[in-house]
Amino acid sequence: KKTKLEELNMASNGVTDEACDVIAKMLQVNNTLKCLNLYGNSFSRETIVIIVKAVEQNNALEELLLPNNNTEDCKEQISILQGKVNDARKCRRCENYLNIKFSLY
């Protein structure tokens, strides 16, 4: 029996920009992950944008937690990408819409 990963908690694990490609590739092909918690890592603005863009190809992810990750200076850009993701999902008649959280818990 196959198991399905639905939640991945990588909060405060010292994940850096170098892991970005792996996370982005995983998001592009994974169809079971519903929540990805990347709270409190050391991502640059560019890495956060790459991760959010990768979500455009993912229909399953419902929640992306990015607080405490240099998100303040790219909040507007990520909000625009979030809108694009949700518009694309609506066109594909997906039931899951993406919620990106920036604020602290």
Side-chain angles (χ1 to χ4, degrees), residues 9-105:
N9 186 345
M10 298 173 69
S12 300
N13 274 310
V15 183
T16 62
D17 289 340
E18 286 75 35
C20 174
D21 288 338
V22 174
I23 293 169
K25 286 176 185 173
M26 178 272 300
L27 287 169
Q28 290 172 349
V29 298
N30 181 285
N31 61 3
T32 61
L33 191 66
K34 294 186 185 307
C35 179
L36 177 58
N37 186 348
L38 296 172
Y39 172 92
N41 286 293
S42 301
F43 295 131
S44 67
R45 175 181 188 269
E46 293 78 17
T47 293
I48 292 169
V49 171
I50 289 169
I51 290 169
V52 174
K53 282 185 177 183
V55 174
E56 287 185 70
Q57 299 175 27
N58 181 303
N59 291 327
L61 194 69
E62 296 172 7
E63 195 166 38
L64 177 59
L65 305 172
L66 291 169
N68 203 17
N69 252 315
N70 303 316
T71 53
E72 281 307 311
D73 62 341
C74 59
K75 208 172 194 176
E76 184 178 337
Q77 186 174 9
I78 292 173
S79 292
I80 291 167
L81 288 169
Q82 179 178 350
K84 286 182 181 179
V85 168
N86 287 334
D87 287 346
R89 288 181 178 188
K90 189 181 282 186
C91 288
R92 292 191 302 261
R93 298 186 176 169
C94 292
E95 295 177 15
N96 301 323
Y97 292 97
L98 180 63
N99 180 23
I100 301 176
K101 292 190 179 175
F102 301 100
S103 59
L104 299 176
Y105 296 118

